[in-house]
Amino acid sequence: MSDKIVILTGAGISAESGLGTFRDEGGLWAQHRIEDVATPEGFARDPILVHEFYNARRAQAAKAQPNAGHQALAQLAAQHPGEVVVITQNVDDLHEKAGSQGVIHMHGTLSGALCSACGHRWQAALAMQPQDSCPHCAGTTTRPDVVWFGEIPYAMQTIETHLAEADLFVSIGTSAQVYPAANFVQAAAAAGARTLEFNLEPSAMATRFDDCRYGPASKTLPRWVAEILG
Ligand SMILES: [Zn+2]
């Protein structure tokens, strides 16, 4: 089979590598409100707090290791005769650490810095500060290159094209409640793709998938990839 496989990954696959999310009890997110640390308004109110929050996440992600789920997807891309596209909502680089290439980070990356004045992007320092200046325009208008609530995710046109070309769409470890990612399964299905969900438990969108597999991605993905690769 040289089918085109389009994969969307979410927080669930990184959680198994120890990186939490705002939906988890405990951890980094539990100490903050989403509107304070993950919105443009929160950043405008208190840039020091927001930088400190992302600095802590960046340090945590730098130490995290990919798990068997990330590795299975990298193996799939390397050995499947057709195209494999990985789109992730995650801002860590665990797919890349596992060997995946060309990963589309629709919510940006912790490793990136962005100038909100001129749009220039560069490699983020491990610890960013509000007074950091943009290497392009010299403005002290630097922010983490992550997409916050209320902002438009990156690469949406590219993603739409991939979804329209998909033979198989796979959603992994995402609650599927955050738009526009929640619409991807419908877009892929409308274009004729089969759809498959991997999650710890059925998501809010589970009934829209042709097939679902439940359990930790580090267990379910290696099994599935072995089936696909035969
Ligand atoms: Zn700039």
Side-chain angles (χ1 to χ4, degrees):
M1 280 208 312
S2 58
D3 286 358
K4 173 164 177 165
I5 303 174
V6 178
I7 297 166
L8 171 69
T9 69
I13 194 166
S14 292
E16 285 191 70
S17 290
L19 300 180
T21 73
F22 64 92
R23 287 192 177 81
D24 295 335
E25 311 273 322
L28 275 177
W29 285 92
Q31 302 154 28
H32 300 286
R33 301 184 313 157
I34 288 167
E35 51 268 46
D36 289 338
V37 295
T39 64
E41 296 78 14
F43 185 60
R45 272 197 306 272
D46 193 343
I48 294 175
L49 172 79
V50 175
H51 274 304
E52 282 175 353
F53 175 74
Y54 285 94
N55 290 345
R57 292 188 70 195
R58 192 175 298 113
Q60 196 182 43
K63 281 184 271 176
Q65 293 301 318
N67 61 61
H70 296 101
Q71 282 153 359
L73 297 184
Q75 186 197 0
L76 178 67
Q79 296 180 16
H80 179 62
E83 189 182 359
V84 176
V85 177
V86 176
I87 303 161
T88 188
Q89 298 172 302
N90 300 333
V91 294
D92 61 62
D93 61 352
L94 293 177
H95 284 301
E96 286 85 353
K97 279 182 181 167
S100 285
Q101 295 174 354
V103 177
I104 298 172
H105 281 270
M106 63 181 288
H107 290 166
T109 65
L110 288 169
S111 60
L114 167 68
C115 174
S116 52
C118 77
H120 184 67
R121 291 190 161 83
W122 65 100
Q123 177 81 30
L126 202 53
M128 293 178 68
Q129 305 175 68
Q131 63 268 33
D132 290 347
S133 59
C134 167
H136 184 70
C137 74
T140 48
T141 40
T142 67
R143 55 169 281 180
D145 190 12
V146 298
V147 176
W148 285 323
F149 289 89
E151 297 182 320
I152 297 166
Y154 295 151
M156 288 308 295
Q157 276 199 317
T158 305
I159 292 170
E160 275 174 36
T161 302
H162 285 309
L163 292 171
E165 293 172 354
D167 297 297
L168 175 63
F169 172 72
V170 185
S171 171
I172 301 166
T174 164
S175 63
Q177 286 167 338
V178 179
Y179 287 84
N183 285 331
F184 289 1
V185 59
Q186 287 158 283
R194 285 187 302 120
T195 58
L196 172 60
E197 174 175 68
F198 287 87
N199 220 345
L200 267 184
E201 52 198 38
S203 75
M205 307 291 276
T207 55
R208 308 208 174 163
F209 287 85
D210 296 322
D211 196 9
C212 301
R213 298 191 185 191
Y214 302 117
S218 63
K219 296 279 193 298
T220 54
L221 288 180
R223 244 180 269 144
W224 171 69
V225 167
E227 284 170 31
I228 294 263
L229 295 177

